[in-house]
Amino acid sequence: SWREPGVFLSGVVLGALLLSAALLRGAGAPAGFGLAWCFVVLLPVSGILPLYNPVAERYLYTVAAGFCWTLAAALAAVMKRRRVLGAGLAGLILTAYAARTFIRNRDWNSDAALFLEASPGEESSPRTRYIRAMLLRERGQSARALAELEEALRLHPGFAEAWLALG
């Protein structure tokens, strides 16, 4: 609901980014193109129509291109005025992204690492619950697997694979 603070704040931020993209486009700046790119490529997978994906990070690869374009334009503007500051910011950003990528790679090491240990934000995904149940069943943890299947079915009562596994 738009009345929830997190949803409302997200809407405000998205609106501000869209406005920025429109204003920057009018000025002919590459940053406007980068921001517009982010919105255009994210629209089909934005959740307007529900997608049952346990981990959908792959949709951000094309969005990242627009973000990087915008970031590069912003850094270029800073470097025109202060070359050392711009180079330092670029180095800091690259270091932060490299560190986060290194940490996230451990989560993708195995299905168990990804779905049992690294997906606390996916508690409301029936597909994630189903995959967890299958992993727990393979480990012989039937009671926990049953609880995950029941939660998957509570979240999505028509989830045929979960009903089949439950049977």
Side-chain angles (χ1 to χ4, degrees):
S1 167
W2 282 101
R3 289 176 280 179
E4 294 180 38
V7 175
F8 180 75
L9 183 60
S10 296
V12 169
V13 169
L14 286 174
L17 286 172
L18 277 171
L19 181 62
S20 298
L23 292 173
L24 288 171
R25 185 197 57 78
F33 174 80
L35 282 175
W37 174 273
C38 293
F39 284 100
V40 169
V41 298
L42 194 56
L43 188 61
V45 294
S46 64
I48 293 171
L49 298 174
L51 298 172
Y52 296 107
N53 293 312
V55 180
E57 292 172 347
R58 65 187 176 278
Y59 297 138
L60 295 178
Y61 292 137
T62 53
V63 175
F67 174 75
C68 289
W69 189 299
T70 302
L71 187 59
L75 284 173
V78 169
M79 289 186 83
K80 280 183 183 177
R81 294 189 180 132
R82 295 193 172 152
R83 185 171 292 279
V84 174
L85 177 63
L89 283 173
L92 183 64
I93 291 167
L94 286 173
T95 302
Y97 274 99
R100 182 65 189 129
T101 299
F102 180 78
I103 291 167
R104 187 66 173 142
N105 282 340
R106 285 184 279 179
D107 298 336
W108 286 90
N109 190 35
S110 68
D111 286 343
L114 184 61
F115 290 103
L116 294 178
E117 300 155 14
S119 58
E122 294 291 331
E123 298 298 320
S124 62
S125 167
R127 173 96 30 208
T128 298
R129 295 291 189 158
Y130 170 76
I131 293 170
R132 282 183 187 168
M134 297 301 95
L135 291 167
L136 291 166
R137 186 180 71 183
E138 287 175 13
R139 292 179 167 195
Q141 298 176 12
S142 300
R144 285 184 62 200
L146 179 63
E148 292 288 347
L149 285 171
E150 289 172 346
E151 181 62 15
L153 290 168
R154 186 190 69 75
L155 294 168
H156 181 44
F159 192 1
E161 292 171 275
W163 279 110
L164 184 62
L166 189 60

